Amino acid sequence: FKSRAMIRANIITPNQFELEYLSGVKIKTLEDARRACNIAHDMGPETILLTSLIHNDTSDNDIQMMASRKVGSQFVVTTPRLPLNPAPNGAGDFTAAMFLARHLMGDDIKTALSMTAGSVFALFEETYKAGTRELALIKAQDRFVNAKPIPPLSL
């Protein structure tokens, strides 16, 4: 994947562990995450959505996502971390699909990140309430389609 797919990819959506592997950077700070994204950009992808970002400055009650463009725009969004342990099946696939959908609709990465974070959080809240490892997609569909955007910070 690292040597063949990265050079052909336009968008990648790694979680923190996967980006650490791809970039060779251990992410302990937000600056490490930015550097890891930049290294991954140098391998090919124009757009990166880094999911499940937890670094030294992340509160125990929060989790982050970061969107990065090769040309330099980087944004981070923070949401409450729900006690979903283990993580629901398909969480990464759902997140990637929502981000790609927003991208294909013409959103810039800041808007795509904001809307994706809102949708993912809405789905996770319903999944947490359901007390299951399976994503509550049907029950939450109206919530995640009409989710409130979560404002990202520019880096």
Side-chain angles (χ1 to χ4, degrees):
F1 183 83
K2 186 176 178 178
S3 64
R4 294 185 183 181
M6 288 286 284
I7 61 173
R8 292 176 176 84
N10 294 320
I11 298 174
I12 61 171
T13 59
N15 63 32
Q16 182 171 334
F17 171 80
E18 292 163 341
L19 185 60
E20 287 176 340
Y21 174 77
L22 291 169
S23 68
V25 175
K26 179 70 177 161
I27 299 173
K28 295 181 181 177
T29 66
L30 192 54
E31 189 55 40
D32 291 338
R34 295 180 72 191
R35 189 163 41 94
C37 283
N38 290 334
I39 290 169
H41 283 305
D42 288 343
M43 295 178 204
E46 285 291 321
T47 303
I48 299 170
L49 176 66
L50 170 57
T51 65
S52 302
L53 175 60
I54 300 170
H55 52 82
N56 292 349
D57 294 326
T58 309
S59 141
D60 289 342
N61 299 319
D62 292 332
I63 193 162
Q64 297 179 314
M65 281 194 284
M66 183 174 147
S68 179
R69 290 277 298 162
K70 194 175 215 174
V71 293
S73 299
Q74 292 179 317
F75 302 92
V76 67
V77 66
T78 303
T79 59
R81 186 182 338 173
L82 298 172
L84 296 166
N85 193 11
N89 296 326
D93 295 331
F94 177 82
T95 303
M98 291 303 295
F99 188 77
L100 178 60
R102 298 305 309 195
H103 173 76
L104 293 174
M105 290 170 47
D107 288 350
D108 59 29
I109 67 162
K110 182 178 181 181
T111 303
L113 174 63
S114 174
M115 297 304 294
T116 298
S119 294
V120 169
F121 186 70
L123 175 60
F124 282 10
E125 279 186 316
E126 286 298 327
T127 301
Y128 178 69
K129 288 178 195 172
T132 177
R133 218 178 145 193
E134 298 301 319
L135 292 173
L137 289 166
I138 302 304
K139 187 173 185 179
Q141 64 187 338
D142 290 334
R143 284 198 61 205
F144 69 74
V145 168
N146 300 306
K148 290 172 50 175
I150 298 174
L153 298 174
S154 180
L155 301 176

